[in-house]
Amino acid sequence: MRPELKLSALELAERARVASRELLKVDRAKLVLDAAAGIEKRAAEILAANEIDVSRARDLPPALIDRLRLDEKRLAGVASALREVAALPDPVGEVVESYTRPNGLRVERVRSPLGVILMIYEARPNVTAEAAALCLRSGNAALLRGGSEALQTNSALLACFEEDFVQLVPPDRTLLDELLQMEDRIDLCIPRGGPSLIRFIAERSRVPVIKHYQGVCHLYVAPDADLEMAEKIVVNAKTQRPGVCNALECVLIDRKVDLLPRLKKAMPQVELIEGQYGTEFLDLKLSYAIVDGIDAALQHIARYGSRHTEAICTRDRSLAERFLREVDASCVLWNASTRFNDGGELGLGAEIGISTSKLHAYGPMGLRELTCTRFVVRGDGQVRT
């Protein structure tokens, strides 16, 4: 590595480490509210920067361009999401458990910030603002490394946040590689993106990693399913926003159910594919499989799923409860769209991503998931015997 890049990485990480300590002394809700106001004030500037990014990204797939694009409505949604985060209860200092030991020691388990969070993601500038807000509100300094395709937009968005508490990492892979070695200054790395990005980070990082892997989401339509409900769920889960990670990618149709003709009629714009299982299309494509009962559906999901989001459509409570119990995914749903695996929809206010790792967090990561717990012990001069 060139010495100047190594120095740049060290400076970024050290500034973030110092800032993480300062965050415990300031009004973090106000920092987020100020950023929301800044986004509204600089809306024209941010949208102009986004137009530059979009114009340079014409060779990207349509789903990625959709993720990249901001308009007035989406930008207003970002500012609104920040205000929701600011209004959430502060997790820092929350007492999770409290008890007194026989020797009189008063023991508490208390939520505490993780410290410095390095987040790596692609194409979605709204993630920049929401991740910054969640980190600030939970007392963490943030190093945000978005994709080069969103550089202008991300720079304009982060100009609305207070310096040092949130820093933009230039899209240089060598610089990123150096940051991934700094486990003494960075507490957690969160990559969001495709398999190649996740694999690169997991293989290179000495910083602990929580993976936010691709969403190969399934819906199993059971023999007794209400077909009108099943059709409505499939249409919503596939077509509302096909380029996001909680969009439906495969429908598993019980052999006793004649659903396919309904789907073809309801979604003429969607290409239905028998095969290509385990694929995150992020497009108006949907794979399907005809399965013999719930055992075959569970086996299919175990083989091809990504532990992101899985759903069942059935009237049978016992069948549904078996599915919810046995499927290994960060979110499992009964008679509801996979699109609900989202921090805002699940009441977290916003999310920094959807973890498909099990250690520390599993599913949408909101404020609480960006903290750890530590012991706070109060005594009256006790000594150990």
Side-chain angles (χ1 to χ4, degrees):
M1 170 179 277
R2 300 195 308 273
E4 61 270 24
L5 278 179
K6 192 176 185 73
L7 183 61
S8 177
L10 182 62
E11 181 183 359
L12 282 168
E14 189 56 36
R15 286 172 64 188
R17 173 60 64 187
V18 172
S20 70
R21 294 194 292 269
E22 292 300 313
L23 271 171
L24 296 174
K25 308 173 187 177
V26 300
D27 185 339
R28 296 185 299 278
K30 185 176 184 302
L31 289 177
V32 176
L33 289 173
D34 288 347
I39 287 172
E40 290 174 336
K41 184 178 179 180
R42 302 185 185 202
E45 177 187 334
I46 294 167
L47 292 175
N50 184 249
E51 280 299 319
I52 294 172
D53 285 332
V54 171
S55 67
R56 293 173 177 172
R58 289 176 179 167
D59 293 335
L60 290 177
L64 285 181
I65 292 177
D66 178 62
R67 287 184 173 194
L68 175 61
R69 188 182 300 278
L70 286 178
D71 55 27
E72 289 185 1
K73 182 178 178 181
R74 286 187 181 181
L75 194 59
V78 170
S80 176
L82 264 58
R83 290 194 170 93
E84 289 180 16
V85 170
L88 290 171
D90 188 353
V92 178
E94 177 189 348
V95 178
V96 176
E97 186 180 11
S98 177
Y99 52 91
T100 301
R101 298 290 296 146
N103 63 0
L105 286 177
R106 299 176 298 282
V107 181
E108 293 178 341
R109 289 175 66 96
V110 180
R111 291 199 180 278
S112 179
L114 294 172
V116 177
I117 295 175
L118 169 62
M119 185 165 177
I120 303 145
Y121 53 100
E122 300 167 332
R124 295 178 65 178
N126 64 302
V127 171
T128 300
E130 292 175 12
L134 284 163
C135 286
L136 287 180
R137 191 72 179 94
S138 55
N140 298 289
L143 295 170
L144 303 180
R145 201 276 198 182
S148 57
E149 68 281 355
L151 181 59
Q152 301 300 320
T153 314
N154 289 339
S155 298
L157 283 167
L158 286 192
C160 303
F161 289 84
E162 192 160 326
E163 198 175 6
D164 286 1
F165 292 145
V166 182
Q167 298 178 75
L168 188 65
V169 178
D172 182 292
R173 180 158 284 200
T174 309
L175 177 63
L176 174 61
D177 196 34
E178 183 65 20
L179 287 171
L180 292 173
Q181 311 310 308
M182 295 185 175
E183 78 277 16
D184 56 336
R185 290 177 172 83
I186 299 173
D187 297 282
L188 180 66
C189 176
I190 300 175
R192 284 180 62 171
S196 60
L197 172 66
I198 301 289
R199 192 177 305 114
F200 171 81
I201 301 301
E203 290 174 355
R204 301 291 297 174
S205 183
R206 294 175 64 180
V207 176
V209 175
I210 293 182
K211 299 174 185 176
H212 292 238
Y213 199 46
Q214 62 184 349
V216 182
C217 307
H218 298 81
L219 170 70
Y220 169 52
V221 181
D224 69 328
D226 178 330
L227 295 190
E228 184 177 345
M229 177 191 292
E231 176 189 314
K232 187 168 90 171
I233 290 173
V234 171
V235 170
N236 174 261
K238 179 71 264 184
T239 67
Q240 188 191 48
R241 284 199 72 186
V244 295
C245 63
N246 56 17
L248 185 66
E249 300 293 13
C250 181
V251 59
L252 304 175
I253 304 171
D254 196 277
R255 192 171 298 279
K256 298 176 182 177
V257 174
D258 189 24
L259 181 65
L260 209 53
R262 296 181 66 124
L263 296 183
K264 290 177 179 178
K265 183 177 179 181
M267 304 185 299
Q269 76 277 34
V270 175
E271 180 184 353
L272 291 166
I273 303 165
E274 188 172 18
Q276 297 189 40
Y277 305 127
T279 302
E280 186 185 38
F281 295 109
L282 299 175
D283 201 352
L284 289 172
K285 297 179 180 180
L286 179 67
S287 67
Y288 71 90
I290 308 301
V291 296
D292 293 309
I294 190 170
D295 288 312
L298 291 171
Q299 289 170 10
H300 185 106
I301 291 169
R303 180 175 180 182
Y304 295 108
S306 60
R307 304 201 309 190
H308 194 288
T309 310
E310 307 294 352
I312 183 172
C313 185
T314 180
R315 295 185 177 98
D316 186 333
R317 174 177 291 274
S318 63
L319 192 71
E321 293 299 336
R322 180 186 171 193
F323 183 92
L324 299 178
R325 183 176 60 251
E326 294 186 20
V327 166
D328 181 9
S330 76
C331 180
V332 288
L333 303 107
W334 174 18
N335 290 344
S337 170
T338 58
R339 292 280 288 120
F340 284 108
N341 190 11
D342 170 88
E345 295 294 335
L346 296 179
L348 304 184
E351 67 184 36
I352 204 165
I354 297 176
S355 169
T356 53
S357 300
K358 289 188 175 180
L359 288 179
H360 184 72
Y362 198 25
M365 292 184 67
L367 292 181
R368 282 195 173 94
E369 288 71 35
L370 294 175
T371 64
C372 58
T373 59
R374 60 175 183 154
F375 286 95
V376 175
V377 182
R378 295 176 174 88
D380 300 298
Q382 288 91 336
V383 295
R384 184 168 177 176
T385 58

